[in-house]
Amino acid sequence: MPLLRNLLVLLLFAFVAACDKKAPGIGSGTSPGKDYARLIEPLIDPAKLASLGKRGANQRVQKTTAFLWQAKGDGQDPTQVADRAVELIGWGSTEKGKLTTAAMLRNITIIERLGAVTSADIEAMKRGRAPMVRQGPYAGDIISVDHIVPRAIAPELDNVIANLELLPLKLNEGKSDKIGARQVSMAKAFHSAGLLSEAGLQRVVEAKP
């Protein structure tokens, strides 16, 4: 009986070892991790964004930013994650894809500078809610989603991810619909990339004082 028991134990160890060889990454610390690009893909899908109502993309910006921040925390390169998400929607290596990636990366830089990177802030953003400004002159305020080129001037950019960035609410409210050099420059880039029509660009240019 002891011999039989020992034989069974040896067979069990051999079976476990064989399973480990057939399942790379399990128990070896080489797990590929969460596919954040796949989580971001539906949030930036232009077809889905086009079907949304007024300011409908705001929650998507919050969620996208949270996923990119989590990817960074998991040791993944946010640029690579954002680029792959853009590829998944069919915009890889295009100007509109580059503008979209740039906007997503800008937003994780913004929350970092504003200190809105606590676990509570990231969880809030994952639910499409506003995080808190925790450092700087706007500490205590919430972070809203701002249109770089105002939707009042170019409504076709309302739910375009490349035109949306995070901003303290008080700063956003004081910004109003003014058009400055940055807005004109971005509008020209959007037009060149096919995100803004000729008529839309003209409205932005004419609105600059």
Side-chain angles (χ1 to χ4, degrees):
M1 290 297 291
L3 180 62
L4 178 60
R5 184 169 60 250
N6 290 337
L7 180 60
L8 289 174
V9 169
L10 289 173
L11 288 173
L12 178 60
F13 283 151
F15 175 74
V16 170
C19 288
D20 283 343
K21 290 181 180 180
K22 292 179 181 179
I26 297 177
S28 62
T30 59
S31 173
K34 188 177 293 186
D35 191 345
Y36 289 100
R38 284 287 183 189
L39 294 174
I40 292 171
E41 175 197 2
L43 299 173
I44 65 171
D45 185 333
K48 294 179 180 179
L49 290 167
S51 68
L52 300 176
K54 182 178 177 181
R55 296 186 177 87
N58 287 14
Q59 290 189 344
R60 291 169 178 251
V61 171
Q62 304 281 21
K63 293 176 181 179
T64 296
T65 305
F67 285 137
L68 274 180
W69 182 261
Q70 285 192 314
K72 181 179 179 180
D74 285 350
Q76 298 182 32
D77 184 345
T79 300
Q80 292 181 1
V81 173
D83 280 342
R84 182 162 175 267
V86 165
E87 289 177 1
L88 290 171
I89 64 171
W91 283 7
S93 301
T94 66
E95 286 305 310
K96 53 190 171 184
K98 293 175 183 176
L99 287 168
T100 302
T101 291
M104 291 191 287
L105 296 177
R106 186 166 59 244
N107 282 328
I108 63 170
T109 298
I110 289 170
I111 63 168
E112 184 170 22
R113 289 178 178 174
L114 295 177
V117 292
T118 68
S119 58
D121 293 315
I122 300 305
E123 284 303 312
M125 284 190 287
K126 282 172 65 178
R127 291 171 171 76
R129 300 172 184 168
M132 293 288 297
V133 179
R134 300 186 185 277
Q135 62 188 34
Y138 293 94
D141 196 7
I142 63 171
I143 299 178
S144 64
V145 178
D146 174 53
H147 293 79
I148 299 172
V149 178
R151 69 173 305 280
I153 308 297
E156 62 193 281
L157 292 174
D158 184 18
N159 291 321
V160 173
I161 297 297
N163 188 46
L164 301 173
E165 70 179 5
L166 298 175
L167 203 66
L169 181 60
K170 291 178 182 177
L171 184 58
N172 191 357
E173 291 175 337
K175 178 173 171 282
S176 68
D177 296 326
K178 296 177 182 177
I179 296 293
R182 186 194 183 202
Q183 284 70 36
V184 172
S185 176
M186 292 297 291
K188 289 179 179 178
F190 295 151
H191 173 259
S192 178
L195 293 170
L196 179 64
S197 66
E198 181 69 33
L201 174 60
Q202 192 63 31
R203 284 194 301 273
V204 173
V205 172
E206 290 176 351
K208 186 178 184 298

